[in-house]
C-alpha cells in the first residue's frame, strides 16, 4: 500500500499534517516477502486486507510478523451494490436549490411531445428538438398544465421535467463525486491498537472499493461523446428575450470509469436521462444520512453482464477521448489533507479549477466552477456519513433497475426477438474473446443485425445456438 507522499505518517504527524491518501496497488508486480516479480511467479493478494501481495503461503507466513501490524480490519464495498449510491449523489446535485433551469421558470408554449415536436437545425450545424419558452411561471406550477399546456399527459409532462432537471453541469457533478470517494474512502487505513484512530470516522477500519472480488486499482473521469438522435436532444428559445439556449452537448460528455486490479474497466454514466436514455436505478435503500428521499436516480452501469454482450462498447456508444485519473491525481494530496468539509479554501480553488479545465480540454464556465465548489463539500458529507455509519453494509447486493419509456415504447427484454438478440450478441462476444474474430468483425456483426428483417434475425440467432 502506498500513500501519495511516498512515506507512511506516524499518528502524531497525521494529527498535525492532516489526512493522507492511501493508494491501492496499481498492479501485481512483486512479492512483499521475497521480492520475486510477477514475471517469475504467480502473485496473490492477502485475503484479509487485499493490499499486500505474495507469491506463496510460505512467503506470507514469513512476512506475517511485519504485515499483521497493518493488515487490520477491512470493509470491501462491491461496485454492484454501491453504484446506486453514487447515482443518488449525482441526482442530489442535479436538484441543488441554486440551479434554476430557464425551462423550469417559463411556460412551454409549443408541443415537444414524444414522437412529435419541431427538430430545428441551428447555424452551428447542430439539430435538436426545440422547446419554446413563454411567460414566467411560479415554481409551484412546474410539471402542471399551466407550465406546459400542450403536454399530452401528466406522465409526459413529468418525464420532460425530469429530463430538463437532469441536464447540464455534468463535469462538476461527476468530478465532485470522484473526489469525494478519494477523500472519504481512500484516506482510511487499518489502524493498529498501538495508535489512536484520531480523525478517521471508520474507526480502525480500512474501507476500499472492489468489483467481482478484485480491488479497484484506479478510477476517474472519462471525457468523450455519446450517440444521441436529434429528436432526443433538447434546445430552447426564449420568446421574450429572443435568445436560444442549447441543451446538454452529447459530444462534451463525462462519466466515471473504474479499473480493477485484474485489469478490467467498467463505468457509470449518470448523465444520459436528459437524452431520453431513461435507465434508472431504485435509490430509496440508499437515501439516508444527508440525502432526501428519492425513488429513482438516472444511472447506467456498464458491468460484467453488459460486457459479456457488448465487449466493445466504446465502438458503438460511449466513445472516450481522454481518461483522467482522480484516485491517483497527486495534486489532491494537499487539498484533501483537512478533515473539514470546507477544506477547499481559497488557495485550493485554483487547483480544482485547473483539474476541471484539463479534463474538459477547455476553459470551464464560471457557472460550472461555482457549482463545483457547492457540489464537492456536499458529496463529501454524504459519503462520509455513509462511511461513519457503515450504511453500505445494508445496500442491496443486486440493485433494482428500470426504464422509463415513452408512450407506445416497449422495452421488456422478454420478447422472442430480444432473447434472440441476446443469444446472438453472446455468440459473437465469445468469438471475440477467443480471438477468432477481430474487433472490426464484431462491430460488423452487431450492425448487421440492425438492418435485417424479423425472419432473418431469428435465423441469425438460431445459427448462434
Amino acid at each position: 500500500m502506498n500513500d501519495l507522499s511516498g512515506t507512511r505518517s506516524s499518528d502524531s504527524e497525521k494529527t498535525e499534517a492532516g489526512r493522507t491518501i492511501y493508494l491501492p496497488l496499481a498492479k501485481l508486480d512483486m512479492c512483499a516477502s521475497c521480492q520475486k516479480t510477477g514475471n517469475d511467479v504467480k502473485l496473490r493478494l492477502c485475503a484479509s486486507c487485499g493490499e499486500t501481495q505474495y507469491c506463496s503461503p510460505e512467503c506470507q507466513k514469513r512476512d506475517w510478523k511485519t504485515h499483521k501490524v497493518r493488515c487490520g480490519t477491512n470493509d470491501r464495498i462491491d461496485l454492484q451494490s454501491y453504484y446506486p449510491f453514487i447515482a443518488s449523489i449525482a441526482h442530489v446535485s442535479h436538484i441543488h436549490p441554486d440551479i434554476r433551469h430557464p425551462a423550469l421558470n417559463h411556460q412551454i408554449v409549443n408541443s415537444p411531445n414524444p414522437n412529435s415536436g419541431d427538430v430545428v437545425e441551428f447555424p452551428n450545424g447542430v439539430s435538436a428538438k426545440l422547446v419554446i419558452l413563454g411567460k414566467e411561471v411560479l415554481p409551484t406550477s412546474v410539471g402542471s398544465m399551466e407550465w406546459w399546456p400542450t403536454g399530452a399527459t401528466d406522465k409526459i409532462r413529468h418525464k420532460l421535467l425530469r429530463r430538463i432537471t437532469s441536464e447540464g453541469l455534468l463535469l462538476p457533478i461527476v468530478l465532485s463525486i470522484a473526489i469525494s470517494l478519494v477523500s472519504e474512502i481512500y484516506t482510511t487505513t487499518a489502524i493498529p491498537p498501538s495508535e489512536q484512530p484520531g480523525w478517521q470516522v471508520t474507526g480502525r477500519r480500512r474501507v476500499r472499493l472492489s468489483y467481482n472480488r478484485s480491488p479497484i486499482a484506479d478510477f476517474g473521469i472519462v471525457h468523450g461523446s455519446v450517440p444521441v438522435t436529434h429528436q432526443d436532444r433538447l434546445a430552447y428559445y426564449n420568446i421574450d428575450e429572443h435568445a436560444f439556449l442549447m441543451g446538454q452537448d452529447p459530444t462534451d460528455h463525462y462519466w466515471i470509469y473504474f479499473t480493477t486490479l485484474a485489469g478490467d474497466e467498467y463505468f457509470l454514466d449518470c448523465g444520459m436521462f436528459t437524452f431520453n436514455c431513461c435507465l434508472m436505478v431504485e435509490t430509496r435503500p440508499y437515501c439516508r444520512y444527508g440525502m432526501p428521499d428519492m425513488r429513482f436516480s438516472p444511472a447506467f452501469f456498464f458491468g460484467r453482464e453488459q460486457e459479456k454482450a457488448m465487449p466493445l462498447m466504446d465502438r458503438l456508444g460511449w466513445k472516450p477521448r481522454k481518461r483522467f485519473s482522480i484516485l491517483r491525481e497527486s495534486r489532491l494530496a494537499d487539498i484533501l489533507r483537512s478533515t473539514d468539509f470546507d477544506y477547499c479554501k481559497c488557495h485550493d480553488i485554483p487547483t480544482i479549477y485547473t483539474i476541471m479545465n484539463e479534463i474538459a480540454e477547455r476553459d470551464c464556465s464560471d457557472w460550472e466552477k461555482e457549482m463545483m465548489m457547492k457540489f464537492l463539500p456536499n458529496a463529501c458529507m454524504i459519503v462520509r456519513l455513509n462511511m461513519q455509519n457503515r450504511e453500505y453494509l445494508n445496500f442491496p447486493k443486486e440493485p433494482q433497475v428500470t426504464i422509463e419509456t415513452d408512450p407506445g415504447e416497449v422495452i421488456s427484454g422478454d420478447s422472442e426477438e430480444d432473447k434472440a438478440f441476446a443469444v446472438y450478441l453472446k455468440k459473437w462476444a465469445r468469438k471475440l474473446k477467443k480471438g477468432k474474430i477481430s474487433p472490426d468483425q464484431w462491430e460488423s456483426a452487431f450492425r448487421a443485425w440492425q438492418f435485417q428483417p424479423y425472419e432473418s434475425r431469428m435465423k441469425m440467432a438460431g445459427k448462434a445456438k
Side-chain angles (χ1 to χ4, degrees), residues 93-367:
S93 296
H94 272 301
I95 61 175
H96 192 284
D98 287 352
I99 301 175
R100 290 303 299 171
H101 194 292
L104 300 183
N105 54 27
H106 289 81
Q107 187 180 67
I108 297 175
V109 299
N110 65 331
S111 301
N113 285 287
N115 306 314
S116 65
D118 299 318
V119 174
V120 176
E121 183 175 353
F122 294 89
N124 61 2
V126 172
S127 296
K129 178 177 280 192
L130 187 63
V131 179
I132 301 178
L133 308 179
K135 66 179 182 180
E136 290 191 11
V137 294
L138 295 173
T140 53
S141 70
V142 173
S144 69
M145 284 191 65
E146 180 185 357
W147 172 64
W148 184 16
T150 61
T153 65
D154 285 340
K155 182 179 179 181
I156 288 173
R157 287 190 192 91
H158 283 93
K159 183 177 180 181
L160 181 61
L161 167 61
R162 289 190 290 275
R163 287 182 63 191
I164 295 171
T165 302
S166 300
E167 188 172 53
L169 295 172
L170 194 53
L171 175 56
I173 288 174
V174 296
L175 179 56
S176 64
I177 291 172
I179 292 177
S180 73
L181 297 180
V182 180
S183 171
E184 308 306 321
I185 296 179
Y186 288 87
T187 56
T188 67
T189 188
I191 299 176
S194 59
E195 299 178 12
Q196 294 300 316
W199 53 264
Q200 187 162 293
V201 298
T202 58
R204 301 185 183 280
R205 189 178 305 274
R206 177 194 292 113
V207 182
R208 293 292 182 267
L209 296 175
S210 66
Y211 186 63
N212 190 35
R213 299 182 181 180
S214 181
I216 296 300
D218 189 26
F219 61 81
I221 310 299
V222 180
H223 181 205
S225 62
V226 288
V228 175
T229 65
H230 303 325
Q231 184 79 13
D232 290 329
R233 184 175 180 179
L234 299 175
Y236 309 87
Y237 176 69
N238 189 308
I239 294 176
D240 293 336
E241 299 178 4
H242 302 288
F244 283 99
L245 173 67
M246 297 304 300
Q248 188 167 308
D249 184 356
T251 67
D252 185 33
H253 199 67
Y254 305 89
W255 58 95
I256 304 176
Y257 76 87
F258 298 90
T259 304
T260 68
L261 188 59
D264 300 312
E265 184 173 309
Y266 306 99
F267 69 84
L268 173 64
D269 191 337
C270 299
M272 291 297 292
F273 196 94
T274 191
F275 298 131
N276 207 28
C277 180
C278 299
L279 278 163
M280 298 185 294
V281 62
E282 185 179 2
T283 47
R284 277 183 175 168
Y286 311 87
C287 293
R288 297 188 65 188
Y289 303 112
M291 284 200 287
D293 182 26
M294 302 180 297
R295 187 176 179 187
F296 294 102
S297 294
F300 171 62
F301 180 57
F302 183 80
R304 286 189 72 209
E305 290 305 311
Q306 291 74 21
E307 185 185 38
K308 288 178 182 178
M310 304 285 284
L312 298 176
M313 179 63 85
D314 58 347
R315 281 177 168 253
L316 304 175
W318 283 255
K319 295 183 179 295
R321 288 199 298 272
K322 182 178 182 180
R323 285 174 174 81
F324 195 102
S325 174
I326 299 302
L327 176 58
R328 298 184 180 276
E329 171 50 60
S330 60
R331 286 170 290 184
L332 293 179
D334 289 334
I335 295 174
L336 302 183
R337 203 172 293 279
S338 172
T339 62
D340 296 328
F341 292 128
D342 60 348
Y343 50 70
C344 289
K345 308 292 185 182
C346 60
H347 62 275
D348 296 326
I349 291 176
T351 302
I352 296 289
Y353 292 168
T354 298
I355 292 173
M356 289 181 68
N357 291 341
E358 290 176 4
I359 297 172
E361 301 174 274
R362 59 178 170 82
D363 289 334
C364 292
S365 67
D366 291 342
W367 175 236

Side-chain angles (χ1 to χ4, degrees), residues 79 82-91 177 181 256 258 268 270:
L79 277 178
Y82 196 70
Y83 85 81
F85 176 66
I86 298 175
S88 301
I89 302 174
H91 194 40
I177 291 172
L181 297 180
I256 304 176
F258 298 90
L268 173 64
C270 299

Side-chain angles (χ1 to χ4, degrees), residues 5-64:
S5 66
T7 58
R8 180 181 295 279
S9 302
S10 68
D11 191 55
S12 60
E13 289 173 335
K14 287 177 188 174
T15 302
E16 180 181 349
R19 301 186 299 177
T20 298
I21 297 174
Y22 296 97
L23 294 178
L25 291 171
K27 59 181 180 179
L28 293 173
D29 55 1
M30 183 182 294
C31 175
S33 178
C34 69
Q35 282 74 54
K36 289 182 180 177
T37 67
N39 296 327
D40 303 319
V41 293
K42 184 176 182 179
L43 298 169
R44 295 179 176 85
L45 289 174
C46 169
S48 178
C49 69
E51 303 250 323
T52 305
Q53 51 192 321
Y54 297 102
C55 67
S56 65
E58 291 73 24
C59 273
Q60 186 170 10
K61 290 177 182 178
R62 190 180 305 118
D63 190 50
W64 177 241

Side-chain angles (χ1 to χ4, degrees), residues 387-434:
M387 293 294 108
Q388 184 174 3
N389 293 281
R390 297 183 78 192
E391 186 62 24
Y392 48 82
L393 297 179
N394 299 321
F395 291 167
K397 290 185 178 180
E398 291 295 331
Q400 296 298 310
V401 178
T402 187
I403 302 175
E404 185 172 1
T405 59
D406 287 330
E409 184 181 15
V410 178
I411 307 176
S412 66
D414 296 328
S415 70
E416 183 179 356
E417 187 171 355
D418 290 336
K419 293 177 180 177
F421 187 42
V423 170
Y424 179 78
L425 286 178
K426 288 182 179 179
K427 164 202 169 184
W428 287 97
R430 287 195 299 268
K431 287 187 175 184
L432 178 67
K433 186 175 181 180
K434 293 178 181 179

